[in-house]
Amino acid sequence: AEAVTVAEFLRRADNTKEYLLEGKISRVTISDKFKGFDLADNSGSVQVVFPKNIDAHKDKLTEGSTVKIRGKYKLYKKTGKPDTPEMVDGTIIEVQTYVEDPSKVVQISVAEFISKADKFTTYRLKGKVVSQVDPAKCSFDLKDESGTIFVYSVKNAGEWASKVKKYGTVTLRGKRSEERFSRNA
């Protein structure tokens, strides 16, 4: 397999050869319906779907981990939606699990968090809860002096949903997630 950048993999759009990609992963999903992740390097990102040996690596595949994988290009055609390039028939070669040091997490404002659009770095945000808290996901709107952001969910949501209250102040650590739905503010 030839080692290429994600941009080169996408530009070639060659479904006959195997290519080797290396990059950071995000949106890791391992369920009965879908297994895969997004892989990004400095040149771009591509969705990796159903790698053959994903179950053998599932405990190491965390947000921000680095993965080497070989596989083929495929253009996924879906009725009514744009065609999406993917890596298919993949075999994971190596995983370097990202382990975060909480003491190195930097606090930034909501506006900075939004402008950075960084999916891999964890930041600390502090602000007021300015909406009702959804008890299922512990989701809410967080506001500081610079702006407002929607917090989609928190770990241990069941535990925190009863403690996080409208008009209360919270500090949280988290990464940016790509918007998967539209929301009316």
Side-chain angles (χ1 to χ4, degrees), residues 29-47:
T29 305
I30 301 174
S31 71
D32 293 342
K33 294 181 179 162
F34 180 80
K35 295 182 182 194
F37 47 83
D38 289 350
L39 183 140
D41 63 13
N42 291 333
S43 71
S45 74
V46 66
Q47 188 173 43

Side-chain angles (χ1 to χ4, degrees), residues 64-135:
S65 292
T66 302
V67 170
K68 271 188 195 172
I69 185 167
R70 71 171 188 264
K72 291 185 174 177
Y73 175 92
K74 179 179 180 184
L75 192 59
Y76 177 62
K77 297 176 187 284
K78 191 168 183 185
T79 309
K81 296 199 174 178
D83 295 344
T84 310
E86 299 175 335
M87 176 181 261
V88 297
D89 298 328
T91 303
I92 297 168
I93 309 297
E94 185 182 321
V95 178
Q96 291 178 329
T97 303
Y98 173 71
V99 180
E100 182 175 86
D101 178 349
S103 69
K104 294 197 166 94
V105 176
V106 176
Q107 182 164 327
I108 62 175
S109 72
V110 167
E112 288 173 302
F113 183 78
I114 293 168
S115 70
K116 284 183 184 294
D118 177 352
K119 296 188 298 190
F120 299 114
T121 306
T122 299
Y123 294 102
R124 185 175 292 114
L125 296 175
K126 183 176 182 178
K128 283 214 176 301
V129 177
V130 292
S131 67
Q132 293 300 328
V133 178
D134 176 334

Side-chain angles (χ1 to χ4, degrees), residues 15-40:
N15 60 10
T16 64
K17 288 187 197 162
E18 266 199 337
Y19 291 97
L20 183 68
L21 297 179
E22 181 174 358
K24 288 188 185 254
I25 61 171
S26 62
R27 290 193 342 155
V28 179
T29 305
I30 301 174
S31 71
D32 293 342
K33 294 181 179 162
F34 180 80
K35 295 182 182 194
F37 47 83
D38 289 350
L39 183 140

Side-chain angles (χ1 to χ4, degrees), residues 121-165:
T121 306
T122 299
Y123 294 102
R124 185 175 292 114
L125 296 175
K126 183 176 182 178
K128 283 214 176 301
V129 177
V130 292
S131 67
Q132 293 300 328
V133 178
D134 176 334
K137 294 192 265 323
C138 191
S139 60
F140 53 89
D141 291 324
L142 176 75
K143 179 180 175 119
D144 71 5
E145 66 286 345
S146 70
T148 305
I149 193 166
F150 179 62
V151 176
Y152 181 72
S153 68
V154 300
K155 286 185 180 164
N156 304 330
E159 175 188 339
W160 285 105
S162 63
K163 297 174 184 170
V164 175
K165 302 283 185 218

